[in-house]
Amino acid sequence: MSRPAAAKALSRSYAGERTLTFLVGLLAFLGGALALAVGSGGLGEFRGRRPLLDPIALDWLGGHATPARIAAIVLGVLLFVLGLRWALRSLRPEPRPDLDLDRTEGAELVVTATAIAGAVQADAEQLDGVSRARVRAVGSRTSPALRITLWLREGTDLKGVWAELDTRVLTRARDSLGLGTLPTAVRLELDTSPAKRVR
Amino acid sequence: MRPFVRILATLLGLAFAAAGALLALEVGWHWWRPGSAPMLVPWPRWQADLASLGWDAYAVRVGAGVLAAAGLVLVGCALAAGNRAVRLTDPADEVSVSTSPRSLARLVGLTVRAQDNVAGASVTASARRIRVRAKSALETEAELRPRLLATVSALLDEIPLVRRPKVSVVVDSPKDRR
């Protein structure tokens, strides 16, 4: 993927799930359409009247019994492994990686994901115009990133919030962690104003 | 749509895993003991059924139609599960910003409602398009529409959006109905 880490951190990737669903849907559509074409005589009148389990195909399979069996078993095992991997991959929650600050043997220093999230969240909530903030670590342990969701009060100046976020929150987080770069994705949400009572 | 596709992908994966396991087991079992009954799947009966069913049978055609339709639905779900977030320009390296279509619509709605002679407004927004439907009792569409377009346009100039959405404004005014 050529997308930078910060852009990837904006939201969980659905590429795998979408590709799988798309491909399965496409195959089902093509198979169904082909069967319809055969059944309606699109590939010849005679072809359409033959049984589904064609004797010619069965004869051919019977003639190549051993390779066909091996192929079927390999296909089955492959489907089993891949299907299980897909299911587990989709069910797994998005990881919250811890940050390795120091990997020196004997002096390892790890900041847990919740610790970073809590610290940055407390800072972000101090900003003017921010009513609520949610921070979580995303990505993998080798390339961690932060995802910050800010709920802004009505009438807040977007650019002002951004400038403060950069100078106060992110810079502080980078400095305190001693990191040169910390890919960050910011999601801005506009809060609804609290309902006013009419008297 | 996104959580739905995630569940769908999980179920598809499980279905593939189950089908693959059954296929491998049955084929292996039949190879090892050709004479004995099948383990789980009554495939000899299915074989007989399928051999007596022609491609032009009604059941086969209906089944094929249903399969094709289900495939189209899956493709539609996969295409609809795209990311709808509205991207803002990256303010610095290693930082990316986005907002939700709902927030953008809320922002536009606040600005439009703050205009004179606007009684109410509903706004829908996406990364490509903003639709404003305003109500006014005092001005006609011809009077109010250019003003609202200019206002929304000025607001969009303020927000550093990656892609500038097209703006369409409709004014609903009783003065136009006379």
Side-chain angles (χ1 to χ4, degrees):
Chain A
M1 288 282 247
S2 59
R3 289 208 303 159
K8 268 198 252 178
L10 274 172
S11 61
R12 184 174 184 177
S13 169
Y14 271 67
E17 280 80 9
R18 286 180 72 198
T19 314
L20 178 75
T21 313
F22 184 84
L23 285 181
V24 171
L26 197 66
L27 280 181
F29 174 68
L30 291 179
L34 189 68
L36 269 183
V38 171
S40 60
L43 301 181
E45 281 295 315
F46 177 64
R47 172 78 267 168
R49 282 201 293 272
R50 288 185 69 81
L52 279 182
L53 215 57
D54 208 302
I56 300 176
L58 282 184
D59 280 350
W60 186 85
L61 270 185
H64 303 80
T66 309
R69 280 170 177 160
I70 291 175
I73 290 177
V74 167
L75 182 72
V77 170
L78 213 64
L79 272 181
F80 178 69
V81 172
L82 287 182
L84 220 54
R85 267 188 58 177
W86 269 112
L88 290 180
R89 205 190 105 112
S90 304
L91 281 181
R92 195 174 47 201
E94 197 178 8
R96 293 167 192 262
D98 295 337
L99 228 65
D100 288 321
L101 289 189
D102 198 344
R103 285 174 220 212
T104 324
E105 196 98 358
E108 291 99 341
L109 186 57
V110 174
V111 187
T112 61
T114 38
I116 315 166
V120 178
Q121 183 169 345
D123 272 356
E125 277 175 344
Q126 301 296 313
L127 296 179
D128 283 342
V130 174
S131 65
R132 207 145 51 96
R134 196 175 60 199
V135 181
R136 106 203 270 300
V138 292
S140 62
R141 195 142 179 175
T142 46
S143 70
L146 278 186
R147 183 186 299 155
I148 307 181
T149 314
L150 295 178
W151 281 269
L152 304 180
R153 281 191 211 97
E154 218 181 284
T156 309
D157 178 31
L158 270 179
K159 285 175 181 161
V161 169
W162 159 245
E164 273 197 88
L165 184 75
D166 191 33
T167 51
R168 280 174 49 187
V169 179
L170 295 183
T171 313
R172 212 175 124 183
R174 277 191 293 256
D175 287 350
S176 60
L177 293 173
L179 292 171
T181 58
L182 181 61
T184 309
V186 183
R187 301 213 291 201
L188 298 173
E189 302 281 341
L190 200 67
D191 247 352
T192 41
S193 57
K196 289 180 198 121
R197 282 184 71 169
V198 181
R199 286 170 198 266
Chain B
M1 197 47 101
R2 305 195 110 200
F4 178 66
V5 166
R6 184 162 292 270
I7 295 168
L8 213 58
T10 312
L11 292 180
L12 285 174
L14 285 178
F16 275 124
L22 284 179
L23 177 70
L25 280 179
E26 286 295 343
V27 172
W29 178 254
H30 183 67
W31 200 1
W32 185 39
R33 293 192 169 166
S36 59
M39 272 175 92
L40 292 168
V41 188
W43 60 267
R45 212 177 70 216
W46 293 3
Q47 201 177 15
D49 286 350
L50 289 180
S52 64
L53 211 60
W55 281 100
D56 52 357
Y58 179 67
V60 174
R61 289 199 202 181
V62 170
V66 168
L67 184 68
L72 272 190
V73 170
L74 282 187
V75 167
C77 286
L79 290 181
N83 195 354
R84 292 185 196 284
V86 181
R87 280 296 300 274
L88 274 62
T89 46
D90 298 350
D93 283 351
E94 300 290 322
V95 179
S96 60
V97 187
S98 78
T99 186
S100 62
R102 182 186 303 214
S103 294
L104 185 61
R106 224 171 248 164
L107 195 63
V108 174
L110 284 174
T111 318
V112 169
R113 277 180 215 113
Q115 293 294 303
D116 290 339
N117 295 340
V118 175
S122 66
V123 181
T124 51
S126 70
R128 296 180 179 187
R129 195 168 185 87
I130 297 179
R131 285 195 182 84
V132 181
R133 198 176 178 90
K135 267 190 267 176
S136 170
L138 297 170
E139 280 188 80
T140 61
E141 173 147 26
E143 290 162 358
L144 190 55
R145 200 169 158 269
R147 194 150 61 81
L148 289 186
L149 275 176
T151 314
V152 175
S153 179
L155 175 71
L156 291 183
D157 288 338
E158 291 284 304
I159 314 170
L161 293 170
V162 166
R163 155 176 203 160
R164 196 187 168 90
K166 285 182 192 151
V167 182
S168 67
V169 175
V170 175
V171 177
D172 187 12
S173 167
K175 284 187 112 183
D176 286 324
R177 290 190 208 116
R178 268 177 229 150

